[in-house]
Amino acid sequence: LAVLYAYAVKVLATGELPRNLVSPLVIAAGLIGLLGAVLLEPVHDDDEHRGVSLLIRAVPALLLPLVPLALWALGARLGEYGWTEFRYVRVAAVVAIGILAVAGTIRLVRRGRPLQGTVPAVFAAVLLLSALGPWSAPAVSRRDQTDRLRAELRRARIDPRTLPADSVQVDSAGYARIASASRYLLDAHGIGALQAVIPSLPDTTRSVWAMGETLGLRLRDCGPLEWSTGELAWQGQAVRGLMGGTLAEVQLSASQPAELAAVGLRATLTDDRLRVQGAGWSAEADLAPLRARLWTAPQNCTPGYARVSAAVQLAPPDALVTLRDGSGQARAQLVVTRISVGMPVARTPSAKRPGVHVREVTGFLVVP
């Protein structure tokens, strides 16, 4: 509570927008204080714990000024990004705390006993209303994000019936909003929710980081490319040519080798070369073809960010990399699920920038 009050003073003094972390902190403080009133009920008739009893009765009054601060922070995010189930639950929890703060403050002024059964009753009522009918969290979030997606498509002068397409160009801000709303509808409400807006999408469409490419959107050129990412566009089809054997998940960066203790292997990434060492053998694969493809991909630039990126969806045949030893024998295979390439920003203006290489790779390593 002390930290929240100090932050509230800072917000009022500087006029800055409250951060997104405010509402979870207010909810945490409210739950601890209000549930404490219920759990510590026996102390209210005990003279020895009069101080604790007074503190518990004062908690609702202390929470009362913080509820508008939390709603302010949530309102800013709702205006910018819209309703989601998670934001709805946050708002519902803050509203419940606000109701209890008012009721508890009234009791404090009247010198009444602290809140008891009112606490679980109010939370139960608010959460029940949040789960039922057209005002429920799923219904509100789906309706809001659907309307937002349609509005963004209209703003970009895109007929959703023509998507997916290969020639629709949008600015980076519109691209990000369309991709974000599409990804949310697909993740939270299923393909049917997204097909209600874009009817020609196949049932196998999955949510990926490069959702804009799935919809066929293209960005207008926005400057020099800094980094690029590829993601496996797997929609249930078989990964043909995959050898049988032991499978292990691997996450590699150019600066950090991976010790796969479960299968007795060590994997390293140096420039564009992926190397795996086992007991008495080692094998390598050249990731340069993937790097070259990612580096020539359409660009994505988001306002407010210095870096420019590109995104590529990798088909299963492209994502399968075979590692061979010095004699050419296939020793292992890697199904790439995510790969990043780039040219890091120099730390100082005069520093020499290293060339473009594979920086990170994640996937499933198969060893026969």
Side-chain angles (χ1 to χ4, degrees):
L1 287 172
V3 170
L4 284 169
Y5 267 90
Y7 182 68
V9 171
K10 177 187 175 185
V11 168
L12 294 175
T14 62
E16 71 176 32
L17 184 68
R19 296 187 181 182
N20 198 32
L21 192 60
V22 170
S23 59
L25 290 176
V26 171
I27 292 170
L31 289 175
I32 292 170
L34 294 170
L35 291 179
V38 178
L39 297 174
L40 298 176
E41 188 271 340
V43 308
H44 301 303
D45 294 322
D46 188 344
D47 290 339
E48 184 181 351
H49 299 100
R50 191 174 300 172
V52 176
S53 178
L54 177 61
L55 176 61
I56 291 173
R57 291 200 303 273
V59 162
L62 293 172
L63 289 171
L64 199 56
L66 298 176
V67 169
L69 184 68
L71 291 176
W72 181 13
L74 284 166
R77 271 71 192 179
L78 291 173
E80 188 172 359
Y81 304 110
W83 287 91
T84 64
E85 290 162 305
F86 186 59
R87 293 191 189 105
Y88 187 107
V89 172
R90 281 192 182 184
V91 171
V94 172
V95 168
I97 291 171
I99 295 171
L100 292 168
V102 172
T105 302
I106 293 173
R107 290 199 183 189
L108 177 65
V109 172
R110 293 180 176 179
R111 298 179 179 273
R113 292 180 64 83
L115 301 173
Q116 295 294 322
T118 310
V119 174
V122 169
F123 275 109
V126 170
L127 294 176
L128 183 63
L129 289 173
S130 302
L132 299 176
W135 53 81
S136 66
V140 169
S141 62
R142 176 171 179 167
R143 191 163 54 243
D144 181 71
Q145 293 295 333
T146 298
D147 292 343
R148 281 175 169 270
L149 178 56
R150 287 184 173 136
E152 285 299 330
L153 292 173
R154 286 195 300 270
R155 189 177 291 111
R157 298 181 180 179
I158 298 174
D159 184 353
R161 294 171 298 181
T162 65
L163 297 178
D166 293 324
S167 59
V168 180
Q169 287 194 345
V170 295
D171 59 45
S172 58
Y175 178 99
R177 287 192 291 264
I178 292 171
S180 176
S182 301
R183 192 162 49 241
Y184 173 79
L185 286 173
L186 191 54
D187 283 337
H189 302 286
I191 183 61
L194 187 54
Q195 286 173 332
V197 182
I198 307 173
S200 58
L201 284 175
D203 292 340
T204 56
T205 302
R206 63 187 285 266
S207 176
V208 294
W209 183 76
M211 198 67 198
E213 274 72 13
T214 299
L215 302 178
L217 304 181
R218 295 291 179 269
L219 281 153
R220 301 184 182 96
D221 182 66
C222 51
L225 191 62
E226 290 286 353
W227 53 275
S228 180
T229 302
E231 191 172 78
L232 176 61
W234 186 77
Q235 297 181 350
Q237 66 270 46
V239 182
R240 301 190 180 278
L242 188 64
M243 64 174 61
T246 302
L247 180 143
E249 187 175 15
V250 60
Q251 295 180 335
L252 271 176
S253 67
S255 59
Q256 185 65 46
E259 300 290 343
L260 308 177
V263 289
L265 300 177
R266 187 174 192 268
T268 56
L269 178 64
T270 305
D271 295 336
D272 297 330
R273 305 293 299 183
L274 172 64
R275 186 180 187 188
V276 173
Q277 294 175 282
W281 63 271
S282 66
E284 292 186 356
D286 187 8
L287 301 179
L290 281 176
R291 184 256 301 156
R293 180 180 175 189
L294 265 63
W295 203 244
T296 56
Q299 299 179 25
N300 174 20
C301 54
T302 303
Y305 289 86
R307 290 194 173 191
V308 182
S309 65
V312 173
Q313 288 186 266
L314 302 174
D318 300 325
L320 182 60
V321 176
T322 300
L323 292 89
R324 302 182 183 275
D325 60 17
S327 65
Q329 179 182 353
R331 287 284 191 169
Q333 289 181 316
L334 180 70
V335 180
V336 177
T337 57
R338 188 175 176 84
I339 182 172
S340 297
V341 305
M343 180 183 292
V345 176
R347 294 186 177 181
T348 61
S350 60
K352 182 180 179 181
R353 287 158 55 109
V356 178
H357 293 298
V358 176
R359 301 300 175 191
E360 295 179 347
V361 62
T362 302
F364 294 102
L365 185 69
V366 182
V367 182

